[in-house]
Amino acid sequence: MAITGDDVSLDQIVPVSRDFTLEEVSPDGELYILGSDVTVQLDTAELSLTFQLPFGSHTRMFLQEVARACPGFDPATPDPEFQWLSRYRCTQREPSLRCWISASGTRIGGGGSHLDGLRPHGKGLLVDQSSRGQDKADSLLTRQNKSKSEIADMVRSATITVSNKAHILTMQKFELRDTIVKSHLVQKEEDYTYIQNFRFFVGTYNVNGQSPKEGLQPWLSHGIQAPDVYCVGFQELDLSKEAFFFHDTPKEEEWFKAVSESLHPDAKYAKVKLVRLVGIMLLLYVKEEHAAYISEVEVESVGTGVMGRMGNKGGVAIRFQFHNTSVCVVNSHLAAHTEEYERRNQDYKDICSRMLFSRGDASLAPVPISKHDVILWLGDLNYRIEELDVEKVKKLIEEKDFQTLYAYDQLKTQVAANAVFQGFTEGKITFQPTYKYDTGSDEWDTSEKCRAPAWCDRILWKGTNITQLSYQSHMALKTSDHKPVSSVFDIGVKVIQQELYRKTLEKIVRSLDKMENANIASVTLSKLEFCFQNVKYMQLRIESFTIQNGQVPCEFEFINKPGEESYCKLWLNANPSKGFLLPDAAVEIELELFVNKTTATKLNSGEDKIEDILVLHLERGRDYFLSVSGNYLPSCFGTPIHTLCYMREPILDLPLETVSELTVMPLRTEDDGSQLERPLKIPKELWIMVDYLYRNAMLQEDLFQQPGLRSEFEEIRDSLDTGMIDTLNTASFSSHSVAEALLLFLESLPEPVICYSAYHNCLECSGNYTASQQVISSLPRFHKNVFHYLMSFLRELLKNSAENHLDENILASIFGSLLLRNPAGHQKLDMLEKKKAQEFIHQFLCNSP
């Protein structure tokens, strides 16, 4: 039975961001207090509380600082671009404050701190956000004035992430002492926790766009003990165009209800969270009695379809804390077709790199999938059986020789090659392939395509104290062309022993009392200057350096320079950008440089350069200055349409001064009689890509819907920028890669094909073809040419719709959001605008000029 009402549902559980109270009550009734630079003495009768604010930074002349941080820099001849460098953080040491708190909780004296985040990963519950505004006096209620439930339900929201290279703890609004306490608690976790097994049910089902037609009990509850946790994933929940482009679907509620009604009857369950990306949905339930121990629930989704964002393929995930163990559940639907295993590998890597969970505070580094104690990965991974013909595969299945058949499984091969799922485990497969069946039966695919059977639907795991009890398919369900798969696990979860935790905490605090607060943090950086040569559009470049700490625990953070909103330019990122180091510990920092549509145009024009200074700040220590330099190779991606029309030669064959002049050249409505060389009617780069598709992809199924390979995009980009057209013509590029490159090109245009100034007119006249034609006729010459050229190409594609399965709605939806963009901050189109943009483009696809 599933209970999802407001009285039990955990659907709103999120990491709670609020001011924590001073109080923390142990199981035996004693009160203890911790805080920023707080010295704590525990006594059965009374507590002594002392705390100090940290030292401020020492003021230094900025040129002297640069000279120390950057060897070889001459203070006598400063570069004007460095004049803004100055020290601006300076806080005075505050006097020590002391207060006494009796065992009853009555406060005598002054002082306070935000401390509740230091309590162990114990119970959590829903908290009314309106309670944040209570007076501080309310946080000092005596224990007898607090109900038992209020004491038991105090919420902790701090997330601990321990690097495998160094102890890096980025905490929510904590001072140095709090962070030190947390780091020591992580190190000594085994001293105050024990392992308790909980039963997890993990299930995956590709439902092929169908509505539920049968009960799900054979999959979810028959023949098993009532699980403590249910993780249920679906793929292809809805295959309609509306779900794909507008993300709305009634199927979500239908399948949620079907699951809720089919959970184990011997227990009551609460829904923790539901997350969906188009047709990929993941549900998390827990037994009602475990609800109080679930916290820090976050969801994320990553689309890996066309342009790396379409949600027809990708993954969704839910992460949460269960007692003191962090768990991440991922449901993914990877690229289809037997030959596309490399694309599946890339989808997996994209999900791993882009799936980052926020932590309730924008200043805190997000948590990746890999930083969890337990990872459960399920879904339609789409890996097929290769090198065997269909009949041979079916014969081995009939003989139940799954071991021989498994030797030809693509996922097995790719895992063995260390290409995907490094460190994951999959149980032994003892069931027949789960794809592809005739819907409503157990018969293999009898359609014209006659797909070979394959184990598309899989469940893998990563972590310790995990025992798989079962791994099976469920042939009784016949709604889809896939069969559902399930796995039951016993997972050892770290549970807090409150008394041991309290003693461990006391010991840590006593040891910190002996630390000399006057010590100044100091680190050594392995590198201070970073040079990125020949940076290209959408090519990730990484340079790394090491921070080696000295004898004093320290917090580090890259800070904003005066007058700037971020610590670095948009094309740069430091990972991690802040953290904590124990004495003698070290951490590797990666500087990631990535130029995209947002930053390419200014780099093309020379308005921006690959130059920046990063300021690495140490709490209670000095600042370090890191110099970043390099050069960007101009690209047709991110270059205005009219600029490309005036570039008769490849952009990399032109002098940088010429590229800069043409890029900043104002948009002309008509030829103004300038002395510039006669322009092309449309950009040659656009013509090259469209011509390739016209010659090679008119019959290609799923064009503009199936993503290409990143490596091929890079080759296509280089061919366009260098003019090596022969490479594009002779190379065996996937049509999907060229199609995706075309979409990325249109997306990167700083001024869209339909200019921002015409945006609102287009939306107003969508549905009126005559008025729409008039709007297009008013566009600047080159933009108008490009629009008509693209529409002609798309109409040619539609002439082959019987083979390529494209229709006007699909193309209008894809190109509508690229050709029409909202000028208000260049924000994404809302649902109504998106539909009007689709309708506007739809008119031109259905009507010849």
Side-chain angles (χ1 to χ4, degrees):
M1 176 181 180
I3 299 180
T4 58
D6 293 340
D7 57 333
V8 181
S9 173
L10 301 184
D11 195 34
Q12 299 300 317
I13 289 185
V14 294
V16 178
S17 175
R18 65 177 178 86
D19 291 339
F20 294 102
T21 66
L22 274 171
E23 298 182 320
E24 183 68 287
V25 182
S26 66
D28 59 5
E30 295 297 323
L31 176 70
Y32 56 86
I33 300 177
L34 291 175
S36 305
D37 297 316
V38 177
T39 300
V40 180
Q41 296 176 352
L42 294 168
D43 190 275
T44 57
E46 57 184 21
L47 297 176
S48 173
L49 170 63
T50 304
F51 65 93
Q52 299 174 338
L53 297 179
F55 282 106
S57 302
H58 297 282
T59 305
R60 299 183 180 90
M61 295 297 290
F62 74 90
L63 286 179
Q64 294 175 344
E65 184 65 40
V66 172
R68 281 194 291 271
C70 305
F73 182 80
D74 184 3
T77 57
D79 189 319
E81 294 185 5
F82 287 66
Q83 291 180 357
W84 48 262
L85 290 177
S86 62
R87 293 301 300 271
Y88 60 97
R89 282 193 170 186
C90 182
T91 58
Q92 298 298 320
R93 183 173 182 178
E94 298 292 337
S96 173
L97 299 177
R98 186 174 181 84
C99 71
W100 293 84
I101 299 181
S102 70
S104 65
T106 305
R107 183 179 63 167
I108 306 173
S113 184
H114 301 254
L115 312 171
D116 197 44
L118 282 174
R119 74 181 299 248
H121 288 172
K123 292 189 176 182
L125 84 167
L126 298 176
V127 173
D128 185 353
Q129 298 296 316
S130 64
S131 65
R132 297 185 194 178
Q134 294 177 342
D135 295 335
K136 289 186 178 180
D138 292 341
S139 68
L140 296 175
L141 293 171
T142 60
R143 184 170 189 267
Q144 47 266 52
N145 288 337
K146 283 190 155 218
S147 69
K148 182 177 180 180
S149 63
E150 283 179 303
I151 295 171
D153 290 335
M154 298 177 76
V155 177
R156 76 327 179 228
S157 70
T159 299
I160 295 181
T161 301
V162 183
S163 169
N164 55 7
K165 299 178 181 177
H167 295 281
I168 305 170
L169 306 177
T170 53
M171 299 302 165
Q172 190 172 0
K173 302 178 182 177
F174 281 104
E175 300 291 347
L176 180 60
R177 187 181 181 93
D178 303 307
T179 309
I180 296 173
V181 170
K182 279 184 169 291
S183 67
H184 283 292
L185 285 173
V186 172
Q187 288 184 322
K188 297 179 178 297
E189 186 178 51
E190 293 183 356
D191 293 348
Y192 58 85
T193 61
Y194 64 93
I195 300 298
Q196 179 178 336
N197 280 335
F198 292 88
R199 187 146 297 182
F200 281 62
F201 175 96
V202 181
T204 178
Y205 194 6
N206 182 319
V207 296
N208 191 34
Q210 304 297 311
S211 295
K213 302 173 183 176
E214 53 194 344
L216 303 181
Q217 290 86 350
W219 173 37
L220 298 176
S221 56
H222 283 182
I224 61 173
Q225 296 179 14
D228 297 292
V229 180
Y230 270 104
C231 310
V232 183
F234 293 95
Q235 307 82 41
E236 294 190 358
L237 200 73
D238 192 332
L239 298 177
S240 68
K241 298 179 181 65
E242 289 75 19
F244 179 69
F245 293 111
F246 304 118
H247 311 298
D248 293 332
T249 174
K251 301 288 180 67
E252 175 182 311
E253 183 62 28
E254 293 175 6
W255 282 102
F256 164 62
K257 182 179 179 182
V259 171
S260 299
E261 293 174 348
S262 301
L263 300 180
H264 207 287
D266 293 344
K268 293 183 178 181
Y269 292 91
K271 185 191 77 172
V272 178
K273 207 68 178 175
L274 179 155
V275 59
R276 181 177 62 83
L277 174 67
V278 189
I280 310 170
M281 185 169 80
L282 180 62
L283 287 160
L284 177 66
Y285 299 84
V286 298
K287 278 184 177 179
E288 187 181 43
E289 58 265 33
H290 300 319
Y293 299 94
I294 298 287
S295 63
E296 299 181 40
V297 181
E298 292 287 348
V299 300
E300 274 300 335
S301 62
V302 169
T304 60
V306 177
M307 302 169 68
R309 69 169 187 245
M310 291 288 192
N312 56 322
K313 294 294 188 291
V316 298
I318 302 173
R319 63 94 55 204
F320 59 97
Q321 197 81 11
F322 189 24
H323 287 278
N324 214 44
T325 293
S326 60
V327 181
C328 181
V329 186
V330 185
N331 175 21
S332 66
H333 191 191
L334 309 185
H337 307 303
T338 303
E339 68 278 5
E340 294 287 353
Y341 67 90
E342 288 185 350
R343 178 68 229 189
R344 287 187 275 281
N345 294 353
Q346 182 173 302
D347 286 351
Y348 163 79
K349 294 172 184 176
D350 284 347
I351 292 170
C352 289
S353 62
R354 292 167 51 201
M355 186 79 75
L356 300 172
F357 298 93
S358 62
R359 301 171 60 189
D361 186 334
S363 66
L364 298 181
V367 182
I369 294 173
S370 60
K371 297 299 183 181
H372 291 84
D373 299 321
V374 173
I375 306 171
L376 303 171
W377 197 303
L378 59 109
D380 180 359
L381 306 187
N382 250 325
Y383 287 94
R384 309 300 175 90
I385 293 169
E386 57 186 357
E387 299 182 20
L388 296 178
D389 60 40
V390 176
E391 294 307 317
K392 179 63 174 177
V393 172
K394 291 180 180 178
K395 185 175 186 298
L396 289 171
I397 295 172
E398 186 178 350
E399 297 171 350
K400 298 190 180 301
D401 190 357
F402 300 138
Q403 184 174 354
T404 299
L405 188 61
Y406 182 62
Y408 297 92
D409 177 71
Q410 286 181 338
L411 180 57
K412 174 184 181 298
T413 303
Q414 294 305 306
V415 169
N418 209 32
V420 289
F421 290 102
Q422 295 88 345
F424 280 81
T425 303
E426 182 181 22
K428 183 178 180 181
I429 295 179
T430 59
F431 50 91
Q432 70 183 48
T434 55
Y435 173 86
K436 175 178 183 178
Y437 297 88
D438 286 340
T439 301
S441 76
D442 293 334
E443 300 297 323
W444 297 116
D445 181 24
T446 58
S447 69
E448 182 180 348
K449 293 182 179 179
C450 193
R451 302 282 193 192
W455 286 295
C456 291
D457 311 283
R458 313 288 274 268
I459 297 171
L460 300 92
W461 73 90
K462 186 176 184 179
T464 57
N465 301 313
I466 302 175
T467 302
Q468 187 179 56
L469 303 179
S470 67
Y471 190 23
Q472 60 184 322
S473 65
H474 299 269
M475 298 295 292
L477 297 187
K478 308 180 191 301
T479 299
S480 172
D481 57 355
H482 288 249
K483 299 297 182 183
V485 171
S486 71
S487 183
V488 176
F489 297 94
D490 271 347
I491 298 181
V493 172
K494 293 173 285 188
V495 178
I496 297 287
Q497 288 183 305
Q498 294 292 340
E499 179 61 25
L500 291 179
Y501 170 81
R502 188 173 68 88
K503 292 180 179 179
T504 303
L505 187 59
E506 291 173 12
K507 185 177 180 181
I508 292 171
V509 172
R510 290 194 192 100
S511 68
L512 290 179
D513 289 342
K514 301 176 182 178
M515 185 177 293
E516 293 183 1
N517 289 329
N519 288 340
I520 301 299
S522 178
V523 300
T524 302
L525 306 187
S526 64
K527 193 175 181 181
L528 291 168
E529 297 180 353
F530 305 86
C531 185
F532 295 87
Q533 293 288 348
N534 299 329
V535 175
K536 296 180 180 180
Y537 183 78
M538 286 186 68
Q539 180 188 60
L540 179 63
R541 298 282 296 276
I542 297 176
E543 292 281 342
S544 61
F545 69 97
T546 301
I547 302 177
Q548 177 66 55
N549 193 25
Q551 299 303 308
V552 179
C554 74
E555 286 181 295
F556 65 87
E557 179 182 3
F558 288 96
I559 59 174
N560 299 356
K561 299 177 282 289
E564 299 191 9
E565 296 181 354
S566 177
Y567 68 84
C568 65
K569 291 187 176 180
L570 291 176
W571 38 260
L572 190 63
N573 181 59
N575 184 29
S577 63
K578 61 191 299 186
F580 170 75
L581 288 171
L582 291 173
D584 296 320
V587 61
E588 183 179 61
I589 307 293
E590 291 186 339
L591 298 183
E592 303 167 340
L593 195 156
F594 188 75
V595 177
N596 59 16
K597 61 182 179 180
T598 305
T599 54
T601 304
K602 287 189 176 181
L603 288 168
N604 279 341
S605 67
E607 295 178 69
D608 192 11
K609 297 180 179 178
I610 305 295
E611 292 179 358
D612 202 1
I613 297 292
L614 303 185
V615 183
L616 180 65
H617 173 72
L618 299 186
E619 281 298 322
R620 308 188 186 192
R622 58 175 286 189
D623 287 353
Y624 298 80
F625 298 91
L626 284 68
S627 169
V628 176
S629 62
N631 69 292
Y632 178 69
L633 297 180
S635 174
C636 63
F637 290 85
T639 300
I641 288 175
H642 67 285
T643 299
L644 291 172
C645 288
Y646 278 98
M647 292 181 179
R648 301 187 71 91
E649 299 177 24
I651 192 169
L652 287 179
D653 286 352
L654 296 173
L656 292 178
E657 296 78 8
T658 302
V659 174
S660 178
E661 291 173 4
L662 292 176
T663 302
V664 299
M665 179 178 63
L667 180 61
R668 293 170 169 81
T669 302
E670 297 293 342
D671 188 1
D672 62 358
S674 66
Q675 300 301 311
L676 291 171
E677 188 176 358
R678 181 184 177 189
L680 302 167
K681 291 185 177 180
I682 62 172
K684 58 188 177 302
E685 295 83 2
L686 174 65
W687 178 85
I688 290 170
M689 288 185 284
V690 170
D691 180 67
Y692 182 95
L693 295 173
Y694 183 78
R695 289 183 290 104
N696 298 285
M698 299 304 285
L699 306 181
Q700 176 65 59
E701 187 177 348
D702 294 332
L703 194 66
F704 298 117
Q705 299 169 83
Q706 174 77 16
L709 290 172
R710 184 170 303 140
S711 59
E712 292 189 349
F713 165 75
E714 293 177 353
E715 293 184 59
I716 294 167
R717 176 203 60 210
D718 293 346
S719 298
L720 297 174
D721 290 340
T722 60
M724 302 295 290
I725 302 177
D726 290 342
T727 301
L728 189 60
N729 290 333
T730 58
S732 56
F733 290 130
S734 163
S735 297
H736 296 302
S737 296
V738 180
E740 186 170 22
L742 173 60
L743 297 180
L744 289 169
F745 173 82
L746 296 174
E747 182 189 45
S748 73
L749 293 172
E751 184 82 18
V753 174
I754 299 176
C755 300
Y756 288 121
S757 59
Y759 173 78
H760 292 292
N761 288 338
C762 290
L763 296 190
E764 290 174 3
C765 66
S766 61
N768 186 333
Y769 183 53
T770 301
S772 298
Q773 286 180 305
Q774 292 175 351
V775 174
I776 296 300
S777 66
S778 68
L779 293 176
R781 176 164 50 121
F782 304 120
H783 286 251
K784 179 171 56 180
N785 292 345
V786 168
F787 180 83
H788 286 309
Y789 181 67
L790 287 172
M791 292 301 106
S792 297
F793 167 62
L794 297 180
R795 285 193 293 267
E796 288 296 316
L797 275 175
L798 291 172
K799 292 178 182 178
N800 298 279
S801 59
E803 290 79 15
N804 58 35
H805 297 164
L806 292 171
D807 62 33
E808 295 88 346
N809 291 327
I810 293 176
L811 293 178
S813 296
I814 294 172
F815 284 86
S817 60
L818 294 174
L819 305 184
L820 272 170
R821 296 189 229 147
N822 192 323
H826 301 186
Q827 63 190 20
K828 292 183 179 180
L829 280 61
D830 63 26
M831 198 61 65
L832 179 60
E833 290 179 337
K834 192 171 183 179
K835 290 183 178 180
K836 285 188 174 182
Q838 176 185 346
E839 186 177 353
F840 182 87
I841 300 300
H842 190 276
Q843 302 170 108
F844 291 90
L845 298 177
C846 297
N847 297 281
S848 298

